[in-house]
Amino acid sequence: MFVLEFLTGLFRRWRFRILRRDVEVVGRCLCCGGCCRSIHLKDGGRWLRRSREFERMVADAPEHARFHPVGRGSRGFLLFDCFLLGPDNLCARHDTRPALCRNYPSKSLYYHGGRLPEDCGYAFRAVTFRKVLFGRKPLKPADFSAVLRREIQQDKDRQT
């Protein structure tokens, strides 16, 4: 499974560089709760493997205390559930949720070969080679100022 995810992500990033068309996140939240259950967390750019790493992350960013470990994924990374998810699949503290939750689904999930839960109302829409070859979508230059603005906003979100 890891190899397939890795290769899928690699292909998606390569296609982005060739076509210069970013993936779009479309749809809306259906309140399925899938994004709050059995998720991986990252700290310092690395997926968490040990409870000790999670405890250190919570000490640095207390807003992540809403998560609790529930097991391990197929690659050995810790899986977490959010204990603030109610029985109606709504967040009990929606107004104070961390950037991880506010920015879901992140395009980085797509570019790392990840998938959204099947019953999720969001979807990734990417321009394919076929659409470009048959003239349905023209090639366009990358908008580096938009990428820079997005990264600056994500840094601000992480700091708050």
Side-chain angles (χ1 to χ4, degrees), residues 122-139:
Y122 288 110
F124 294 117
R125 186 183 312 158
V127 174
T128 63
F129 287 114
R130 168 174 263 167
K131 289 179 181 176
V132 171
L133 288 173
F134 291 114
R136 291 183 226 146
K137 295 279 184 176
L139 280 173

Side-chain angles (χ1 to χ4, degrees), residues 29-37 85 88-89 104 117-121:
C29 182
L30 298 179
C31 301
C32 69
C35 57
C36 304
R37 292 187 198 98
L85 183 68
D88 57 356
N89 289 330
Y104 185 84
E118 287 187 27
D119 54 350
C120 183

Side-chain angles (χ1 to χ4, degrees), residues 74-114:
S74 59
R75 295 179 4 208
F77 301 120
L78 289 174
L79 292 173
F80 296 87
D81 281 357
C82 180
F83 69 83
L84 294 177
L85 183 68
D88 57 356
N89 289 330
L90 296 177
C91 182
R93 298 221 182 106
H94 189 265
D95 55 326
T96 61
R97 66 194 192 282
L100 164 76
C101 302
R102 284 193 311 272
N103 298 331
Y104 185 84
S106 168
K107 291 179 183 182
S108 69
L109 175 66
Y110 176 82
Y111 289 118
H112 283 94

Side-chain angles (χ1 to χ4, degrees), residues 55-69:
E55 291 165 6
R56 194 169 36 244
M57 182 175 88
V58 169
D60 293 339
E63 67 270 13
H64 288 99
R66 67 178 50 220
F67 299 105
H68 63 277

